[in-house]
Amino acid sequence: MKLRDIGEFGFINRIGKNCINNREKIITGIGDDAAVIPVDKDMLLLVTTDMLIENIHFKRESITGKELGHKSIAVNLSDIAAMGGIPENAFIAVGIPGNVDLDFLDGFYRGIKEICKRWKVNISGGDTTSSITDIVICVTVTGAVKKNEVLLRSGALPGDIIAVTGYLGDSGAGLRIILEKLPLKGNSEYLRNRHILPEPCLKEGRVLASSGFVTSMLDISDGLSSDIFRILEQSSCGARIFEEKIPLSVELVDYSKKKGKNPLEFALNGGEDYALLFTIKRDKVDELKSIYKREIGRDFFEIGEIAETEECKLISSSGREKQLKREGWDHFRK
Amino acid sequence: MKLRDIGEFGFINRIGKNCINNREKIITGIGDDAAVIPVDKDMLLLVTTDMLIENIHFKRESITGKELGHKSIAVNLSDIAAMGGIPENAFIAVGIPGNVDLDFLDGFYRGIKEICKRWKVNISGGDTTSSITDIVICVTVTGAVKKNEVLLRSGALPGDIIAVTGYLGDSGAGLRIILEKLPLKGNSEYLRNRHILPEPCLKEGRVLASSGFVTSMLDISDGLSSDIFRILEQSSCGARIFEEKIPLSVELVDYSKKKGKNPLEFALNGGEDYALLFTIKRDKVDELKSIYKREIGRDFFEIGEIAETEECKLISSSGREKQLKREGWDHFRK
């Protein structure tokens, strides 16, 4: 049997057994954006790790070293944001083939240092090694969150409102633009940069977590149509998502129109938007809206509601319902 | 300029600046076996990460999945041991090419789970992704150590005795045997297994750290001739190492004799022995010896002493002194 027969998530389920050997030292392990580790009576430690491999996650010719450094850190900070946490320390392991220019590497570390400085994250360790042909990057970030503020994927309850912090689909369209080597101007450049330079929603995550009104949260890394199911499965519930409420940038809509594509396809299945997807106690939505607006200066977007059933339904503007299919990225099947 | 022009350690020095953006959240960052992070008034958090890349660190045809799983964890546990710590949580990121058998992967996770169970370490997260041709593994381990017991590389003082916990050079000879595809029997099999299946010196590390008599420690991953300098540089001192006191296994001596090699070459430059190298307050050596013997059931090996000069001298059995050259593995120069 090969890996593609069981897929990435079948594989994760396969290995996820017998992983706990010291229950006192872990609260939530495999299966959330970051692991949650007890520290003291008030605080929790968060740990997350992400691997980026050349020609799988990026092409060297379509990203600068500095952009790659930024993105390597950003995707991990986004995981800390998704727990409501504050990032503290980053550990950077890199495998570097002999044909990499020192300029590219210097840029890579400049990108890392810039985003780490902005978010007050220390670069506290790592590993450097040679590799054969492809650059390999594995970043681990630790962070902290108060015990009574941590947001897991498992807290959604029927009736809760589902919301996201930002536009969806831009990154997926940006990836398409990169892969098709389309000229970078106007919308294309914006969309490309939304793929290459995601900014972690750390402030948003803190505001949402500290409000006490949010019941579950994650960051959209694989695509809404895939990631919503992570909340639904872990919270044992279903959802109704309203197509017309899914926030789309004018750039994405405009690009999609020109290309004869449906922008919703990008929004549902594109992945790597790194917006936060979260659920809110229904009677606290208005209060949270005003807190969020005051603190962040923008609105979040309500896109649906949690339902009792185990289905996830997508409802069109005309009121037609269809089952949302679990799509998004599977590393071992594509 | 290319990476090979500056070498691995030149590169690490190059990137090691402007890494601290939140001093309160880090005690010791880049440059020790593990990062040391404050937790509360008594305890410290340790974090270490190591990347293993196929055809750089291992060949798929000369290691089983289970052995690879063991080694991936063992090298990280060894870093926690080198700080005097107790490992708690492991995070396993893997990049898997399409041609890997599920059997190999199942073995890999069996190996991981076996060693994690033995050392009561949780498998608490990670990342799984596809890769193009080579298996990539990046393991991060967190651990704990009491503030007054943590052992850094920087505490050695002139007069201290230098010691190691086990035989040196076996692993280097084992690597040679693997690369030369020599038949595995008797000594060859023993040496091969010493390379493939290192066991972290966690108990030894705890006994040494909790004694209060040890002033600095690290684990020998690149070779004595390279790793001793990490203590000397960070402690601003020199050393005298007595050749005849370097502990060699009978298997290594026997193998070397047959191959017409000097076993000391393996012991000095071989790397990956994962024995602990440490320095002891001179007047506490006898007391530590008896504690260690009682707790571990074996002796450690005194191999030299810390000197005031900045040189590291290697002294032969006839009393002839020579400068120890800094050798051992440099990923970007070999």
Side-chain angles (χ1 to χ4, degrees):
Chain A
M1 195 154 67
K2 291 284 180 183
L3 206 44
R4 61 176 168 274
D5 300 324
I6 58 171
E8 183 175 356
F9 304 103
F11 179 66
I12 293 170
N13 286 336
R14 192 181 179 98
I15 61 178
K17 298 178 185 95
N18 302 318
C19 288
I20 305 304
N21 296 305
N22 187 349
R23 186 154 294 283
E24 279 180 25
K25 299 299 177 185
I26 187 74
I27 293 171
T28 305
I30 294 171
D32 217 304
D33 293 279
V36 184
I37 297 170
V39 170
D40 61 27
K41 70 178 180 33
D42 299 318
M43 295 302 291
L44 301 169
L45 169 71
L46 302 171
V47 183
T48 180
T49 189
D50 263 301
M51 185 176 269
L52 298 179
I53 301 182
E54 186 176 359
N55 294 318
I56 298 283
H57 298 89
F58 64 91
K59 302 252 179 209
R60 212 186 300 177
E61 69 267 19
S62 52
I63 193 166
T64 67
K66 192 175 167 199
E67 289 169 336
L68 183 61
H70 172 96
K71 187 160 181 177
S72 304
I73 299 293
V75 297
N76 282 282
L77 297 188
S78 181
D79 284 323
I80 300 293
M83 311 298 290
I86 298 170
E88 294 179 344
N89 290 285
F91 302 83
I92 297 146
V94 279
I96 309 171
N99 63 0
V100 175
D101 275 333
L102 207 47
D103 278 353
F104 187 92
L105 278 180
D106 282 340
F108 175 71
Y109 281 94
R110 262 203 315 282
I112 285 176
K113 287 180 184 177
E114 207 172 274
I115 184 170
C116 283
K117 188 173 182 186
R118 182 153 69 257
W119 294 109
K120 293 192 173 53
V121 173
N122 299 314
I123 300 162
S124 303
D127 192 15
T128 53
T129 166
S130 51
S131 70
I132 304 291
T133 49
D134 297 319
I135 299 175
V136 184
I137 303 156
C138 189
V139 174
T140 302
V141 171
T142 62
V145 65
K146 283 188 197 156
K147 206 177 262 187
N148 59 0
E149 293 186 357
V150 67
L151 287 175
L152 305 180
R153 296 174 174 180
S154 55
L157 287 170
D160 286 354
I161 296 298
I162 303 170
V164 293
T165 54
Y167 298 132
L168 302 185
D170 287 357
S171 177
L175 175 61
R176 176 74 62 100
I177 287 161
I178 291 166
L179 292 177
E180 292 181 356
K181 301 194 166 118
L182 300 181
L184 295 182
K185 48 179 188 182
N187 292 344
S188 298
E189 189 177 9
Y190 164 85
L191 294 169
R192 181 259 181 202
N193 287 345
R194 291 271 292 157
H195 180 74
I196 294 286
L197 294 169
E199 198 60 39
C201 297
L202 284 160
K203 280 186 190 157
E204 294 86 340
R206 285 298 305 136
V207 169
L208 295 171
S210 60
S211 73
F213 303 151
V214 173
T215 53
S216 71
M217 186 153 74
L218 55 62
D219 69 325
I220 297 184
S221 56
D222 291 329
L224 177 61
S225 70
S226 183
D227 289 325
I228 183 72
F229 283 100
R230 300 179 208 278
I231 285 183
L232 301 185
E233 283 166 8
Q234 294 202 23
S235 302
S236 304
C237 53
R240 292 155 53 87
I241 307 273
F242 301 96
E243 267 184 14
E244 63 185 347
K245 291 191 169 184
I246 295 174
L248 305 172
S249 70
V250 290
E251 291 85 352
L252 177 65
V253 172
D254 196 52
Y255 167 82
S256 301
K257 196 181 284 175
K258 277 187 192 143
K259 293 282 165 187
K261 308 237 180 244
N262 181 356
L264 270 178
E265 279 293 315
F266 290 115
L268 289 169
N269 306 325
E272 296 211 66
D273 282 310
Y274 300 107
L276 299 176
L277 172 66
F278 56 103
T279 55
I280 317 160
K281 293 174 188 170
R282 185 180 282 266
D283 60 344
K284 299 296 184 185
V285 171
D286 290 339
E287 202 172 335
L288 184 61
K289 269 183 181 168
S290 79
I291 295 171
Y292 190 90
K293 179 85 180 211
R294 189 179 69 227
E295 298 290 330
I296 305 295
R298 283 182 283 106
D299 293 315
F300 55 77
F301 304 93
E302 297 167 57
I303 62 167
E305 60 196 12
I306 295 293
E308 296 247 5
T309 67
E310 292 211 353
E311 296 166 326
C312 185
K313 288 195 169 151
L314 194 63
I315 295 149
S316 74
S317 52
S318 64
R320 237 187 30 191
E321 291 191 357
K322 63 175 179 184
Q323 293 281 352
L324 185 64
K325 278 181 291 186
R326 187 171 179 158
E327 304 245 1
W329 191 258
D330 184 319
H331 263 291
F332 300 137
R333 285 196 162 133
K334 300 272 160 145
Chain B
M1 196 154 64
K2 293 283 182 184
L3 205 45
R4 61 176 167 272
D5 300 326
I6 58 172
E8 183 175 356
F9 303 103
F11 179 66
I12 293 171
N13 287 336
R14 192 179 179 99
I15 61 178
K17 298 179 185 95
N18 302 318
C19 288
I20 304 304
N21 297 305
N22 187 349
R23 187 154 294 281
E24 279 180 25
K25 299 298 178 187
I26 188 73
I27 293 171
T28 305
I30 294 170
D32 217 303
D33 293 280
V36 184
I37 296 171
V39 170
D40 61 28
K41 69 176 182 33
D42 299 318
M43 295 302 290
L44 300 170
L45 169 70
L46 303 171
V47 183
T48 180
T49 190
D50 261 301
M51 186 176 268
L52 297 179
I53 301 182
E54 186 176 356
N55 293 318
I56 297 284
H57 298 90
F58 63 91
K59 303 254 180 208
R60 212 185 300 177
E61 70 268 20
S62 53
I63 192 166
T64 67
K66 193 176 166 197
E67 289 169 338
L68 183 60
H70 172 97
K71 187 161 181 176
S72 303
I73 300 293
V75 298
N76 282 282
L77 298 189
S78 181
D79 284 323
I80 300 292
M83 310 298 290
I86 297 170
E88 294 180 344
N89 290 285
F91 302 84
I92 297 146
V94 278
I96 310 171
N99 63 1
V100 174
D101 275 334
L102 207 48
D103 278 353
F104 187 91
L105 278 180
D106 282 340
F108 175 71
Y109 281 94
R110 262 202 316 281
I112 284 176
K113 286 179 185 177
E114 206 173 275
I115 185 171
C116 282
K117 188 173 182 185
R118 183 156 65 257
W119 294 109
K120 292 191 173 56
V121 174
N122 299 314
I123 301 163
S124 302
D127 191 16
T128 52
T129 168
S130 50
S131 71
I132 304 290
T133 49
D134 296 318
I135 299 174
V136 183
I137 302 157
C138 188
V139 174
T140 303
V141 171
T142 62
V145 64
K146 283 188 197 156
K147 205 177 263 187
N148 59 1
E149 292 186 359
V150 67
L151 287 177
L152 305 179
R153 295 174 175 180
S154 54
L157 287 169
D160 287 353
I161 295 298
I162 303 170
V164 292
T165 55
Y167 298 131
L168 302 186
D170 287 355
S171 178
L175 174 61
R176 176 73 61 99
I177 287 162
I178 291 165
L179 292 177
E180 293 181 355
K181 301 195 167 119
L182 299 182
L184 296 181
K185 48 180 188 182
N187 292 344
S188 299
E189 189 176 8
Y190 163 86
L191 295 170
R192 180 260 180 201
N193 287 345
R194 292 271 291 158
H195 180 74
I196 295 285
L197 295 169
E199 198 59 38
C201 297
L202 284 160
K203 280 186 192 158
E204 294 85 340
R206 286 296 306 135
V207 168
L208 295 171
S210 60
S211 73
F213 304 150
V214 173
T215 53
S216 70
M217 187 154 74
L218 55 62
D219 69 326
I220 298 184
S221 54
D222 292 327
L224 177 62
S225 70
S226 183
D227 289 325
I228 184 72
F229 283 100
R230 299 179 207 279
I231 285 182
L232 301 184
E233 283 166 8
Q234 294 203 23
S235 303
S236 304
C237 54
R240 293 156 51 85
I241 308 274
F242 301 95
E243 267 184 13
E244 64 185 346
K245 290 190 169 186
I246 294 175
L248 305 172
S249 70
V250 289
E251 290 85 351
L252 177 66
V253 171
D254 197 51
Y255 167 82
S256 302
K257 195 180 286 174
K258 279 188 190 140
K259 294 281 164 190
K261 308 236 180 247
N262 181 355
L264 269 178
E265 280 293 313
F266 290 114
L268 289 170
N269 306 326
E272 297 211 65
D273 282 310
Y274 300 107
L276 299 176
L277 172 66
F278 56 103
T279 56
I280 317 160
K281 293 175 188 168
R282 185 180 282 265
D283 60 344
K284 300 294 183 185
V285 170
D286 290 338
E287 203 171 335
L288 184 61
K289 269 184 181 167
S290 80
I291 295 171
Y292 190 90
K293 179 83 179 212
R294 191 179 67 227
E295 299 289 330
I296 305 294
R298 282 183 283 106
D299 294 314
F300 57 76
F301 304 93
E302 297 167 56
I303 62 168
E305 61 196 11
I306 296 293
E308 296 248 5
T309 67
E310 292 210 353
E311 297 166 324
C312 184
K313 289 198 168 148
L314 194 64
I315 295 148
S316 74
S317 53
S318 64
R320 241 192 23 200
E321 292 191 358
K322 62 175 179 182
Q323 293 280 353
L324 186 64
K325 279 181 291 184
R326 187 171 178 159
E327 306 245 359
W329 192 258
D330 184 319
H331 264 290
F332 301 138
R333 282 192 163 141
K334 299 275 161 149

